[in-house]
Amino acid sequence: MDIRQLRDEDFEQKLELSMYAFQYDASAEREEELRKTFKPERVWGAFEGEELQAQLTLLPMQTYINGQVFEMGGIAGVSTWPEYRRQGLVDQLLRHTLQWMKEAGQTVSFLHPFYFPFYRKYGWELYIEYKKYSIPTALLPKKVQTEGQIRRGVKDQEVLASVYAQYASRYNGTLVRDANRWEVAVLKPEGLKTAVYYDEHEAARGYVLYTVKERELNIRELVYLDEQARRALWTYIANHDSMVDQVKLQAPADDALPYLLHDPRIEQQIVPYFMARIVSVKDFVEQYPFEKGIVENIRIDVKDSICEWNQGIWDVLINEDGHAQVVRHDGLPDGVQDDIQQYSGVQLDIQALTSILMGYKRPVELHQWEKIGGKAEAVELLERRIPRRETYLMDFF
């Protein structure tokens, strides 16, 4: 068995396996479109001779974490022919691509799981859940007068991307979108409509992407940078009350819409979504922006049975500006011992570390649930140096 990147001539095998595994058929027109956009170097396959038995796609992406851009490897399209399942092919593909991501400088990886327990075995952990609303038009936010104006049908990528980047960078785990993603994934769906809110100074401060069909308004994205933009966009949405019976949308886990409604008894769901995994502890933590404070050192004992380069004890020296220097426990850098005002340590696996640094869970609560070990003072050190920021993701791959 050989693991390698696909070649142009492997397109038909890749498409055939994808259609079988994900249960869809591609028309001749769609197949030609997929062929033109096929990037064989992004697809890894397990081959026996020239026969493709299993595959996954590794997408070079970027994500926001604490307002900073991190290189991220997005895993998608994991599939195996049924006669070759449970033979360890996906296991080998995942291990291989983790090594590849490390060498490519992708310090974190995201994926959408078909089954959470399966990917937890390989170190990925849930990092985001979102709220899903279904709102009858009678319960929509009240219409209010705001300064500025709504402009419908705006498809200017620069305008939308500028608002999105300001909004997305407030969360952890959102994607940094390039022009191709806007064109191919965000703005492409048939029937997609847009509306942008401009304030009294003609600055774009929010937008909504949505579809209207069969008396349902389905919001794909609702993005706003301030309260005035939020009210203006919801007034615009509520002005559809004569043509729709309900509005559906997803929102961040910390969204306060029910509280802000006159009657909060709307249908709500909490939906577990994507998983994340730190690929390289040293590289990720050294890029990670901690809270500013005194010079402190914390020792982390990391368990990672898949990525041996993460396994072990690490000394994390955090300076006043929140930048960290990470070394294995065979000693701290010369000359820094006198600057350390507090020392302590915690024990945790790669999933817990990912949850904490992504901002999905706090060290104190994981310690209470016995998901991490260590003395209280060590956990409290970690607690105060990790910024509080909600996780969110509006994209799918």
Side-chain angles (χ1 to χ4, degrees):
M1 195 269 291
D2 180 33
I3 292 179
R4 63 167 173 82
Q5 291 166 301
L6 268 60
R7 308 182 185 111
D8 288 333
E9 58 267 27
D10 297 316
F11 173 77
E12 286 79 8
Q13 286 199 79
K14 182 238 185 290
L15 179 60
E16 186 180 7
L17 176 51
S18 296
M19 289 193 298
Y20 188 93
F22 301 112
Q23 303 175 44
Y24 71 94
D25 291 315
S27 64
E29 181 180 355
R30 177 58 177 159
E31 181 175 340
E32 185 59 29
E33 182 181 345
L34 290 171
R35 188 186 297 274
K36 289 179 180 178
T37 59
F38 178 49
K39 292 181 170 58
E41 71 279 2
R42 294 185 177 180
V43 186
W44 289 88
F47 287 84
E48 189 63 48
E50 293 302 312
E51 180 189 10
L52 177 64
Q53 299 180 340
Q55 64 181 352
L56 66 75
T57 300
L58 179 59
L59 301 168
M61 293 177 154
Q62 294 178 317
T63 183
Y64 294 106
I65 299 176
N66 295 338
Q68 188 163 314
V69 175
F70 282 68
E71 298 298 321
M72 186 270 288
I75 290 183
V78 181
S79 49
T80 310
W81 286 110
E83 62 269 30
Y84 298 121
R85 290 174 187 164
R86 296 172 181 84
Q87 297 181 22
L89 300 182
V90 171
D91 176 281
Q92 293 183 61
L93 282 171
L94 290 173
R95 291 173 185 270
H96 184 89
T97 49
L98 281 165
Q99 178 72 50
W100 181 270
M101 282 187 271
K102 179 179 182 293
E103 295 172 359
Q106 296 166 350
T107 60
V108 65
S109 174
F110 295 167
L111 59 79
H112 184 263
F114 76 96
Y115 185 54
F116 281 91
F118 177 83
Y119 286 103
R120 277 179 166 153
K121 294 188 302 183
Y122 294 95
W124 277 268
E125 184 54 85
L126 174 67
Y127 89 88
I128 173 185
E129 53 199 17
Y130 63 81
K131 289 182 178 179
K132 186 176 181 181
Y133 298 135
S134 181
I135 312 172
T137 52
L139 300 183
L140 288 172
K142 292 182 179 180
K143 302 167 187 150
V144 296
Q145 284 295 116
T146 55
E147 296 183 354
Q149 61 178 315
I150 294 282
R151 295 177 189 165
R152 183 173 48 81
V154 177
K155 293 291 182 75
D156 188 327
Q157 283 188 28
E158 289 188 10
V159 171
L160 297 173
S162 174
V163 177
Y164 168 83
Q166 295 175 73
Y167 178 82
S169 61
R170 298 174 179 177
Y171 292 92
N172 286 351
T174 46
L175 292 190
V176 178
R177 291 175 175 169
D178 59 16
N180 182 68
R181 183 151 198 89
W182 276 101
E183 180 180 351
V184 173
V186 181
L187 297 176
K188 189 174 182 179
E190 185 177 351
L192 186 74
K193 305 181 189 306
T194 69
V196 176
Y197 167 70
Y198 292 83
D199 67 14
E200 63 273 26
H201 305 294
E202 286 293 308
R205 301 294 292 169
Y207 69 79
V208 58
L209 309 181
Y210 64 101
T211 58
V212 180
K213 187 177 182 181
E214 298 177 354
R215 299 196 61 80
E216 179 177 290
L217 193 152
N218 196 316
I219 297 176
R220 299 296 186 94
E221 293 185 11
L222 178 61
V223 171
Y224 47 85
L225 302 182
D226 51 45
E227 178 59 16
Q228 184 168 286
R230 187 192 72 83
R231 291 180 180 181
L233 289 167
W234 271 115
T235 296
Y236 173 79
I237 294 164
N239 281 335
H240 290 76
D241 54 357
S242 65
M243 57 186 291
V244 301
D245 297 322
Q246 64 178 344
V247 173
K248 291 187 175 181
L249 72 152
Q250 73 175 54
D254 64 349
D255 184 70
L257 179 64
Y259 172 76
L260 297 170
L261 292 175
H262 178 67
D263 185 348
R265 288 179 175 171
I266 61 174
E267 182 180 327
Q268 303 179 56
Q269 290 179 276
I270 301 295
V271 182
Y273 196 31
F274 264 64
M275 303 180 84
R277 188 205 207 284
I278 293 173
V279 175
S280 171
V281 168
K282 176 177 171 61
D283 296 329
F284 183 89
V285 175
E286 288 191 334
Q287 187 183 355
Y288 189 86
F290 290 90
E291 292 284 6
K292 295 180 180 180
I294 62 173
V295 175
E296 295 181 290
N297 183 76
I298 184 165
R299 182 168 293 167
I300 58 174
D301 183 356
V302 180
K303 305 300 180 187
D304 190 343
S305 61
I306 302 299
C307 298
E308 53 82 23
W309 55 85
N310 291 330
Q311 179 88 5
I313 301 173
W314 301 89
D315 281 304
V316 181
L317 178 68
I318 308 172
N319 67 17
E320 298 95 328
D321 294 328
H323 299 125
Q325 187 173 2
V326 182
V327 295
R328 286 197 180 273
H329 179 52
D330 50 0
L332 291 169
D334 293 338
V336 301
Q337 287 284 1
D338 293 340
D339 295 329
I340 298 172
Q341 298 185 30
Q342 184 167 346
Y343 165 81
S344 212
V346 297
Q347 303 85 45
L348 72 179
D349 61 24
I350 194 67
Q351 288 111 314
L353 183 62
T354 299
S355 292
I356 290 170
L357 295 183
M358 287 300 299
Y360 177 62
K361 296 298 178 187
R362 300 300 301 179
V364 167
E365 62 183 343
L366 291 190
H367 190 246
Q368 291 173 342
W369 300 334
E370 299 182 353
K371 291 291 187 180
I372 66 175
K375 293 183 179 180
E377 59 266 25
V379 177
E380 289 165 5
L381 188 161
L382 204 55
E383 180 79 20
R384 68 173 174 267
R385 297 309 291 263
I386 293 176
R388 291 184 176 271
R389 195 173 290 232
E390 188 63 60
T391 59
Y392 192 39
L393 179 63
M394 291 180 280
D395 293 84
F396 181 85
F397 55 85

